[in-house]
Amino acid sequence: MKVILTILILLFFVEAFSQNKENDSIYFKYNENYILFYENFKNLNYKEFERRVLQNISKTKTEGYFILKKTDTLYNLNPKQIFDLKEYVENRAFYYSGTYNKTINKDLLKEKIFNKYKVFIVKNNTFITIRQHPFENFYNSYYPIKYEDKNKYPTQLKDTLYLKYNKKYLIEKIHPYENYTYYYFKNSGNNGSFFLKQKIFH
């Protein structure tokens, strides 16, 4: 009787573990323009990398992309649902606040997906596992882009943020040769400087 009871208890825990393992997994369909693997572009020269970036932006219409590192490939899994990663992530829930803002909150992304689930990328009936470290950067932003031909990519729509000038925190300077005005935060050297493009009076 004790042996039967022990077996039943073991079966119960195995079943519970299996259900929990399934619930803690999430599956995303592979998108070659939105999901990049290190292995696919680590040997590209910059010109080819730029070409691919511009191609991806034109297709995804997003401000960034996922960069993932493969750890293993599994087979014969049977997920109940496979999500589209772009549709799952590119929405107001994962963006910083702002009417036009489409910048992903990376900390929220980690909390809600990569630190919560075992992530699988589904490609041609294979299931790719990825490295999931708490400090891993899974999402990279395209911006700011500093390409020579600025007509190659669309202009970003931006929200407006107003900063009140306070000489206690900001230092105002005029460039000695080019005569433009710029500001930078105290105790930062010239790091974190920003430039006055246009004055608007009310």
Side-chain angles (χ1 to χ4, degrees), residues 105-116:
N105 184 333
K106 294 181 182 180
D107 291 333
L108 184 63
L109 189 72
K110 290 179 185 180
E111 176 190 342
K112 297 296 184 181
I113 300 179
F114 292 94
N115 291 349
K116 183 177 181 181

Side-chain angles (χ1 to χ4, degrees), residues 6-23:
T6 301
I7 292 173
L8 289 175
I9 292 173
L10 286 172
L11 288 173
F12 171 80
F13 279 111
V14 167
E15 178 65 20
F17 176 77
S18 299
Q19 290 178 358
N20 185 63
K21 187 175 181 182
E22 181 179 352
N23 292 337

Side-chain angles (χ1 to χ4, degrees), residues 23-183:
N23 292 337
D24 289 341
S25 297
I26 190 166
Y27 300 82
F28 294 110
K29 180 174 61 176
Y30 176 63
N31 180 334
E32 65 178 1
N33 300 115
Y34 190 63
I35 302 172
L36 306 182
F37 293 111
Y38 282 103
E39 297 83 355
N40 295 344
F41 71 95
K42 64 181 180 181
N43 295 322
L44 294 181
N45 59 43
Y46 185 78
K47 186 175 181 180
E48 176 61 17
F49 176 74
E50 178 181 322
R51 187 191 69 78
R52 291 199 186 184
V53 163
L54 294 173
Q55 174 183 293
N56 291 345
I57 291 176
S58 67
K59 290 186 177 181
T60 64
K61 310 297 183 186
T62 63
E63 291 191 1
Y65 58 95
F66 279 86
I67 175 69
L68 307 173
K69 186 172 182 60
K70 298 178 184 179
T71 57
D72 199 2
T73 301
L74 305 179
Y75 303 89
N76 300 321
L77 300 183
N78 188 29
K80 293 181 179 179
Q81 188 170 7
I82 300 173
F83 297 97
D84 184 306
L85 183 59
K86 179 173 174 285
E87 291 182 4
Y88 195 94
V89 169
E90 296 290 341
N91 62 72
R92 184 56 52 197
F94 283 103
Y95 295 156
Y96 285 106
S97 60
T99 303
Y100 300 109
N101 198 350
K102 294 173 65 179
T103 303
I104 294 292
N105 184 333
K106 294 181 182 180
D107 291 333
L108 184 63
L109 189 72
K110 290 179 185 180
E111 176 190 342
K112 297 296 184 181
I113 300 179
F114 292 94
N115 291 349
K116 183 177 181 181
Y117 298 105
K118 175 71 175 177
V119 175
F120 290 89
I121 305 300
V122 183
K123 180 182 179 183
N124 299 330
N125 297 318
T126 63
F127 301 85
I128 300 168
T129 60
I130 61 169
R131 186 174 67 188
Q132 289 179 244
H133 190 278
F135 300 109
E136 189 91 10
N137 284 323
F138 301 98
Y139 189 89
N140 279 17
S141 176
Y142 288 124
Y143 297 95
I145 301 177
K146 297 181 180 179
Y147 299 142
E148 292 183 6
D149 186 355
K150 295 184 178 180
N151 295 319
K152 282 186 176 181
Y153 60 93
T155 303
Q156 241 183 328
L157 288 174
K158 297 180 180 179
D159 292 291
T160 303
L161 178 66
Y162 296 90
L163 299 175
K164 183 179 179 180
Y165 173 70
N166 188 329
K167 62 182 180 181
K168 181 179 179 181
Y169 303 107
L170 293 173
I171 295 176
E172 182 181 47
K173 290 283 187 179
I174 297 177
H175 195 279
Y177 307 115
E178 300 182 23
N179 203 34
Y180 59 79
T181 302
Y182 66 98
Y183 301 86

